[in-house]
Amino acid sequence: MQEIWHTGIVTRLVDETPNTRRFWIRVPELESFNFKPGQFVTLDLPIHEKKNKRWRSYSIASHPDGTNEFELVIVLLEGGVGSTYLFNEIKEGSTLQLRGPLGVFTLPENMEKDLFLICTGTGIAPFRSMVQHIHLHQLPHPEIHLIFGCRYEEDLLYAEEMRQLEAQLPGFHYLPTLSRQQDWSGHKGYVHNIYEEILAGEKKPANFYLCGWKAMIDEAKQRITAMGYDRKDIHQELYG
């Protein structure tokens, strides 16, 4: 199968938190950029001679809306060659080579089990896409728990949007938890305590979607299977 690369134009940039930036990208050669919520694109950045050293993949943060534009949210990693290039060199009007959509980290065909969307940092991107899609299309859904772990309140991506969504979408629970902030009235600590607490009373059938850094995903898989869930109930998208 031939790889199809497209040229995307950056139409807008917004700094969302002190170290993350939102990138809106339009693909002029396509009438609409169609993807499933949860999928990602791969960018080919001019940072190395070798192809595979130039490629960086990012989950799509926006929901499919029939246009040829989509959004990525990217964190500036210390010493990260790809993100440093994107933050320093890319301006509105810049072009990016991309392919996609790719990936199978997508919503289940029938949403009968409760959904636990567990993420850290920019790992919220695919879940924002999924939840907005469910809301927009009024898809029948069970309880949805979006458990989002960050260090400080300033790191919470899309916080206002998620709070609004919680008010509008029945059965959707937005559960941010901060590991380092003292003056915070919400959940404190790591994501794991929250889903364990919710399921402590009653082990309901559930699908677990994990997105973020390897350490969080490994620990979550361990804890979820220890609660008696099957590996098939766990879906993951690894960052970094």
Side-chain angles (χ1 to χ4, degrees), residues 3 51 54 61 64 75 78 86 95-97 101 103 124 131 139 146 154 161 165 194 228 230 239:
E3 289 169 1
K51 263 193 211 174
R54 295 199 304 255
V75 63
E78 212 173 307
L86 287 166
T95 58
L96 288 165
Q97 295 306 113
I124 193 174
V131 177
L139 300 178
L146 174 60
E154 65 176 15
E161 183 185 314
L165 207 51
I194 298 182
D230 197 299
Y239 276 24

Side-chain angles (χ1 to χ4, degrees), residues 6 13-14 59 61 72 87 102 117 123 127-128 144 152 210 240:
H6 299 291
L13 296 168
V14 170
S59 293
L72 304 178
F87 273 65
L102 303 159
L117 310 176
F127 300 149
R128 178 193 184 221
I144 302 170
Y152 299 101
L210 312 173

Side-chain angles (χ1 to χ4, degrees), residues 152-153 178 180-186 188:
Y152 299 101
E153 190 172 1
L178 303 180
R180 301 219 176 147
Q181 184 138 338
Q182 298 309 311
D183 56 338
W184 161 255
S185 58
K188 289 181 182 159

Side-chain angles (χ1 to χ4, degrees), residues 45 49 68 70 82 89-90 94 127 131 154:
L45 306 174
E49 293 82 67
N68 59 359
F70 62 90
E89 305 299 328
I90 295 298
S94 298
F127 300 149
V131 177
E154 65 176 15

Side-chain angles (χ1 to χ4, degrees), residues 179-219:
S179 59
R180 301 219 176 147
Q181 184 138 338
Q182 298 309 311
D183 56 338
W184 161 255
S185 58
H187 294 278
K188 289 181 182 159
Y190 296 108
V191 291
H192 312 292
N193 314 342
I194 298 182
Y195 59 79
E196 287 182 333
E197 218 169 278
I198 294 169
L199 293 162
E202 185 193 354
K203 189 186 150 242
K204 297 167 80 175
N207 269 308
F208 298 86
Y209 282 74
L210 312 173
C211 190
W213 299 106
K214 188 175 185 307
M216 182 279 280
I217 287 183
D218 288 347
E219 186 170 346

